[in-house]
Amino acid sequence: AEGGVRLHTELLLRQIISEGLKLTLCVNKIDRLILELRLHPNDAYYKMRHVVEEVNEMIKRLDPAGRYETLCPSRGNVCFGSGQHGYCVTLGDFAQLYADVYHDLGMSVEEFRRRLWGEWFFDQSERRFRRKGRGKRTFVEFVLEPIYKLYVQCLGETEKDVSKTL
């Protein structure tokens, strides 16, 4: 994530497309956006979005026949992770987590998942999702901020306190 799309990614995409394999994108090293670059969650969102868009542009260039669908986290074909810290999550994972904790999301888990990426905002005062809005994007509020909070806790708290959060 922090370095954008690299040459190795393009080589892998060429091979995948030439063999007609299924494609899933893993945006890795998101820990570096938080710990090394110290990006604000909003800026981290834009960085990750740029990586996804860059890979999609590369796929269009390498697959002029258009056999491959656009990669998009809300479709479930993009995940986010940190190899260094040993995790990989999808928007479906977060949607299911919220459904398990809050039981009634007011919509299906699938619908909630689709609203966790892109131009979706959550209006706290009305507790509704909106396409246009003020404030934080849903990805920032429901995905990145919890990840950031875990990093802060892991770096500054005792193991017992972190276990409570998890």
Side-chain angles (χ1 to χ4, degrees), residues 7-152:
L7 176 63
H8 187 253
T9 306
E10 184 170 358
L11 294 173
L12 283 172
L13 284 172
R14 282 182 194 279
Q15 190 67 32
I16 289 167
I17 290 169
S18 72
E19 293 184 24
L21 301 173
K22 288 188 177 187
L23 181 59
T24 299
L25 173 65
C26 182
V27 180
N28 196 14
K29 300 183 182 182
I30 65 170
D31 57 295
R32 296 185 73 186
L33 300 176
I34 301 165
L35 300 174
E36 292 176 24
L37 298 178
R38 298 187 183 277
L39 291 181
H40 183 276
N42 234 12
D43 295 331
Y45 163 77
Y46 283 112
K47 182 74 171 161
M48 288 186 261
R49 188 175 90 175
H50 178 72
V51 168
V52 173
E53 289 170 352
E54 204 175 354
V55 169
N56 278 324
E57 288 299 316
M58 197 174 290
I59 291 169
K60 283 180 189 169
R61 191 170 35 82
L62 296 172
D63 179 35
R67 294 175 298 161
Y68 285 87
E69 72 176 344
T70 302
L71 296 173
C72 182
S74 62
R75 288 190 179 141
N77 57 14
V78 176
C79 58
F80 304 93
S82 166
Q84 175 76 26
H85 296 121
Y87 67 86
C88 184
V89 294
T90 65
L91 296 186
D93 296 330
F94 272 92
Q96 189 60 57
L97 177 75
Y98 283 106
D100 293 345
V101 170
Y102 296 108
H103 303 295
D104 182 24
L105 296 173
M107 65 185 72
S108 70
V109 172
E110 182 73 18
E111 183 63 30
F112 185 62
R113 175 181 60 97
R114 284 193 296 265
R115 292 177 186 206
L116 288 176
W117 184 258
E119 301 301 316
W120 282 100
F121 300 84
F122 186 70
D123 185 334
Q124 288 287 353
S125 61
E126 294 184 28
R127 303 202 47 79
R128 293 178 50 125
F129 290 92
R130 303 213 180 272
R131 279 296 210 169
K132 296 179 182 177
R134 306 175 300 279
K136 301 174 198 163
R137 281 186 164 69
T138 54
F139 184 77
V140 171
E141 185 168 346
F142 294 105
V143 178
L144 285 180
E145 285 185 351
I147 291 173
Y148 271 67
K149 287 176 185 173
L150 280 173
Y151 273 104
V152 167

